[in-house]
């Protein structure tokens, strides 16, 4: 029985964020995995005595072994379990192929020395009674070794099958075989996208390549299906320019020889926390990352522990790695954010453009309205920031459903009147445009909206809940989910803004976090910006270090807006650090608190709510309006 591996190495998400600010302003007081191609001599230059190089023409052998000329033995096993230490082979199926033609097949049951578990029998259909008269392992192993002599072994999830075969050969008294082999699972993960197949299991690939044999957890059938998958993969490899076994080994390996050869780039990097920057030959930043041990982390980019394909592309372009040592992890994270925002490295995916965030602003005019803006540059009331205009629009809809602010975009004057729109007749606007509400009456709506944004969002939640209940009573559940998503967008944005306002309003804050070595990590924060970082060794009085950190800290001048001195992401990163286990406040100028009846409390109630996908009708409507449907 073979465990079906899941394609866990397909583009995991990389963690990084962005922020603005010069680095100089932050003051401080303080194994390869996979198969690689066989080594070959340079086909053009050969060293001779005396240091003279003689040029010669490369031989055909040095050009590689064409896949069309090689013999492959495609093998599949059924076993009593998944562990090589405790399991044994119950069936072997193998197909010998060359040049796309089947040369021979081998199939036999194997009598294990232990009973077959019932669950395995259910999966494979092989029972103890079926193997009672089958040949023993000691009889089958020599036959298979002779059948596979001189061929390249192929298996789907090859480590599983080859592990059992090696263990069986050793039990039979043979030296551990060292077969040259291919893994169709590994090759498929490089060639098959998720749009083509949901995963890289043998059954999924057999359907994709229209195999004439359907895998059924029997050895010979699965081996025949693997042959068809192998030939389908070979066709794609030909289009990728891979025609020899050596090229295929290099193509399918997670770490190419060229990638390994750049391991020296990690030499001399700091071993403590810090930020690293991969740069190309022109000095352009390719990727920015952070780690608690810079040298160890950078070394992983040249080994199989780094599975992301795009990172291999980045390493191929990199010519050097710069590193900045930091006092502790928080300083490293903040420097990473600022560097990403400054350089916008192409291989950092997330948060390269903090300027693309969206806010909802209560405009400053006699009859204010909600306006969607990209930056917060004055003392107006803002809701957000939002990661997308869709989230901002949803939050605006939730607020407007509870508070009848005007939705027209023109500037209104108390003296000049204009006809009211349909929203006035629907009761969703007080119609200041035609004089039904004066400035004082309309100001009550503005005050209610400002209170919901900066304080208690209860009126918005209540209005949305009433609407959701009515829709649910009418069994209009999809529409109810849309209104729920709008309410959650508003609550989360209000909570985010209130957390930011609480921290950015503090002129100066000094905090200390205990380290694993019984020392202290100190951070000085002014208006939400990290301005100094210190690491105090164990056994040393930290109080003088606090004074030194404050004295050497960066001076900041707050600007208008929700993030007056740093980016939103930097302030939020600092807030998460302050909420960490064991962190203590050492000094605090002013006060740092959240509103008791604020949106932060309500946001926790909806922490697990996820945005609902659009129904087909809603998706079609969004497309018609030029919007992207929800997924």
């Amino acid at each position: 029985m073979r465990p079906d591996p899941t394609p866990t190495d397909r583009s995991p998400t990389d963690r990084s964020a962005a922020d603005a600010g010069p680095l100089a302003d932050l003051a401080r007081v303080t194994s390869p995995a996979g198969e690689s191609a066989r080594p070959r001599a340079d086909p053009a230059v050969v060293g001779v005595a005396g240091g003279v190089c003689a040029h010669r023409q490369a031989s055909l052998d040095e050009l590689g072994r064409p896949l069309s000329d090689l013999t492959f033995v495609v093998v599949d096993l059924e076993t009593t379990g998944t562990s090589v230490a405790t399991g044994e082979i119950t069936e072997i199926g193998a197909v010998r192929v060359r040049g796309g033609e089947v040369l021979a097949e081998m199939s036999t049951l194997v009598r294990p020395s232990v009973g077959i578990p019932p669950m395995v029998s259910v999966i494979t259909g092989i029972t103890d009674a079926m193997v009672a008269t089958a040949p023993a392992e000691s009889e089958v192993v020599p036959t298979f070794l002779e059948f596979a002599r001189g061929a390249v072994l192929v298996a789907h999830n090859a480590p599983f099958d080859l592990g059992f075969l090696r263990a069986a050969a050793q039990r039979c008294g043979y030296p551990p075989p060292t077969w040259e082999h291919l893994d169709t699972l590994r090759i498929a993960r490089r060639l098959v996208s998720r749009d083509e197949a949901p995963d890289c299991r043998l059954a999924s690939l057999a359907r994709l390549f229209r195999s004439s044999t359907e895998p059924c957890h029997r050895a010979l059938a699965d081996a025949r299906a693997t042959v068809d998958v192998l030939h389908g993969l070979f066709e794609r490899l030909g289009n990728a320019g891979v025609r020899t076994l050596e090229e295929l080994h290099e193509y399918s390996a997670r770490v190419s020889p060229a990638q390994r050869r750049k391991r020296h780039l990690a030499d001399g990097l700091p071993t403590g926390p810090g930020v690293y920057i991969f740069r190309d030959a022109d000095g352009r930043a390719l990727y920015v990352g952070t780690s608690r041990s810079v040298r160890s982390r950078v070394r992983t980019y040249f080994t199989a522990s780094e599975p992301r394909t795009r990172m291999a592309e980045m390493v191929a372009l990199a010519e050097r790695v710069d590193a900045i040592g930091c006092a502790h992890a928080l300083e490293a994270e903040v420097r990473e954010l600022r560097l990403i925002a400054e350089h916008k490295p192409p291989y950092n995916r997330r948060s390269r453009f903090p300027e693309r965030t969206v806010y909802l602003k209560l405009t400053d005019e006699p009859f204010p309205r909600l306006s969607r803006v990209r930056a917060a540059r004055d003392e107006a009331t803002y809701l957000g920031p939002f990661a997308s205009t869709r989230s901002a629009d949803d939050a605006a809809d939730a607020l407007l459903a509870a508070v009848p602010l005007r939705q027209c975009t023109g500037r209104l004057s108390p003296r000049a009147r204009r006809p009211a729109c349909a929203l006035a007749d629907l009761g969703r606007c007080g119609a200041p445009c035609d004089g039904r509400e004066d400035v004082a009456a309309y100001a009550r709506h503005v005050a209610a909206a400002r209170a919901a944004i900066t304080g208690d969002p209860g009126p918005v939640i209540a209005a949305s809940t009433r609407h959701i209940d009515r829709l649910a009573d009418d069994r209009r559940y999809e529409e109810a989910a849309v209104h729920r998503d709008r309410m959650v967008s508003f609550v989360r944005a209000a909570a985010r803004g209130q957390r930011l306002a609480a921290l950015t309003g503090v002129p100066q804050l000094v905090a200390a976090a205990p380290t694993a070595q019984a020392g202290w990590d100190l951070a000085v924060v002014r208006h939400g910006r990290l301005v100094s970082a210190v690491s105090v060794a164990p056994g040393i009085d930290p109080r003088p270090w606090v004074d030194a950190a404050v004295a050497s800290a960066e001076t900041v001048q707050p600007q208008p807006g929700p993030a007056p001195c740093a980016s939103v992401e930097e302030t939020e990163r600092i807030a998460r650090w302050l909420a960490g286990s064991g962190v203590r406040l050492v000094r605090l100028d002013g006060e740092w608190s959240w509103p008791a009846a604020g949106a932060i409390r309500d946001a926790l109630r909806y922490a697990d709510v996820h945005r609902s996908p659009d129904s087909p009708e809603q998706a079609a409507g969004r497309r018609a309006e030029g919007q992207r449907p929800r997924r």
Side-chain angles (χ1 to χ4, degrees), residues 179-259:
W179 293 293
E180 189 170 15
H181 68 275
L182 297 176
D183 188 350
T184 52
L185 173 63
R186 176 180 290 182
I187 300 171
R189 285 176 173 171
R190 293 292 306 272
L191 292 172
V192 178
S193 67
R194 290 199 179 189
D195 294 335
E196 299 175 291
D199 49 52
C200 287
R201 295 177 181 176
L202 181 59
S204 301
L205 296 174
R207 286 191 295 269
L208 174 64
F209 293 111
R210 300 180 181 179
S211 171
S212 58
T213 305
E214 182 178 354
C216 58
H217 289 290
R218 292 302 298 270
L220 184 58
D222 288 4
R224 288 170 174 170
T226 305
V227 170
D228 294 334
V229 169
L230 178 68
H231 291 159
L233 294 173
F234 277 0
E235 291 181 6
R236 296 193 175 194
L237 288 167
N239 295 332
V242 178
R243 293 177 174 81
T244 67
L245 185 63
E246 288 74 17
E247 291 172 340
L248 178 53
H249 281 322
E250 184 170 342
Y251 183 86
S252 61
R254 289 184 179 177
V255 183
S256 66
Q259 193 171 349

Side-chain angles (χ1 to χ4, degrees), residues 287-309:
Y287 182 79
V288 177
T290 182
S291 175
R292 293 181 181 273
S293 177
V294 173
R295 185 188 302 175
S296 298
R297 179 66 183 101
V298 172
R299 281 177 175 172
T300 64
Y301 288 90
F302 313 110
T303 67
S305 59
E306 177 49 71
R308 294 171 291 178
T309 302

Side-chain angles (χ1 to χ4, degrees), residues 355-359 361 372-378 382 561-562:
E355 64 274 9
R356 293 181 181 177
T357 54
V358 181
Y359 292 90
K361 173 184 176 180
R372 195 172 65 206
V373 297
R374 286 288 184 183
R377 298 189 178 93
D378 53 30
Y382 290 92

Side-chain angles (χ1 to χ4, degrees), residues 249-401:
H249 281 322
E250 184 170 342
Y251 183 86
S252 61
R254 289 184 179 177
V255 183
S256 66
Q259 193 171 349
R260 289 195 189 100
R261 283 194 294 269
K262 294 192 175 182
R263 285 179 292 183
H264 68 278
L265 296 180
D267 296 343
L269 297 181
T271 57
V275 182
Y276 54 90
I277 311 168
F278 282 86
R279 297 186 183 273
D280 61 13
D282 298 327
R284 185 174 65 115
L286 298 172
Y287 182 79
V288 177
T290 182
S291 175
R292 293 181 181 273
S293 177
V294 173
R295 185 188 302 175
S296 298
R297 179 66 183 101
V298 172
R299 281 177 175 172
T300 64
Y301 288 90
F302 313 110
T303 67
S305 59
E306 177 49 71
R308 294 171 291 178
T309 302
R310 62 190 183 87
M311 289 294 101
E313 298 173 359
M314 183 273 295
V315 170
L317 296 173
E319 293 297 331
R320 78 172 195 266
V321 180
D322 295 337
I324 304 171
C326 298
H328 48 69
L330 176 63
E331 183 192 359
E333 292 173 358
V334 169
R335 286 182 178 270
E336 178 195 35
L337 296 176
R338 297 179 185 177
L339 281 167
I340 292 173
E342 178 183 355
H343 296 291
K344 298 181 175 22
Y347 287 92
N348 284 97
R349 283 184 171 174
R350 297 172 53 191
S351 304
R352 287 188 296 161
F353 303 98
E355 64 274 9
R356 293 181 181 177
T357 54
V358 181
Y359 292 90
L360 291 176
K361 173 184 176 180
L362 272 175
T363 58
D364 183 15
E365 53 184 315
F367 298 104
R369 60 183 178 86
L370 283 178
S371 175
R372 195 172 65 206
V373 297
R374 286 288 184 183
R377 298 189 178 93
D378 53 30
E379 300 294 344
T381 300
Y382 290 92
L383 177 63
F386 299 90
S388 66
T389 57
R390 186 195 310 174
S391 298
D393 291 343
D394 284 349
D397 290 340
L399 179 59
L400 293 172

Side-chain angles (χ1 to χ4, degrees), residues 509-513 521-525 546 577-578 583-587:
L509 177 152
V510 182
D521 290 339
L522 304 179
V524 181
V525 180
V546 171
W577 183 82
L578 291 171
V583 176
R584 305 180 183 181
L585 289 180
V586 179
R587 294 181 185 177

Side-chain angles (χ1 to χ4, degrees), residues 420-548:
C421 63
L423 292 177
D425 297 331
L426 296 174
R428 297 182 57 185
C429 179
C433 51
D434 66 0
R436 299 184 203 182
E437 284 187 338
D438 57 16
V439 173
Y442 188 82
R444 292 194 295 268
H445 306 320
V446 178
R450 185 174 289 111
I453 293 172
T454 61
D456 185 5
V460 176
I461 295 175
S464 297
T465 301
R466 289 193 298 269
H467 202 169
I468 291 169
D469 291 342
R470 286 197 300 269
L471 293 171
D473 292 340
D474 295 338
R475 298 185 179 183
R476 297 159 62 184
Y477 301 117
E478 290 184 350
E479 295 180 55
V482 170
H483 286 275
R484 180 206 61 193
D485 293 343
R486 292 173 178 173
M487 176 188 68
V488 171
S489 292
F490 175 84
V491 172
R492 288 175 176 171
R496 191 179 187 187
Q498 291 173 20
R499 282 193 295 263
L500 288 171
L503 188 53
T504 58
V506 178
Q508 179 172 285
L509 177 152
V510 182
T515 66
Q517 296 76 27
W520 293 97
D521 290 339
L522 304 179
V524 181
V525 180
R526 292 174 179 169
H527 295 289
R529 180 182 180 88
L530 181 65
V531 293
S532 186
V534 180
S535 183
V536 182
I540 297 178
D541 184 1
R543 288 174 293 185
W545 293 84
V546 171
D547 296 335

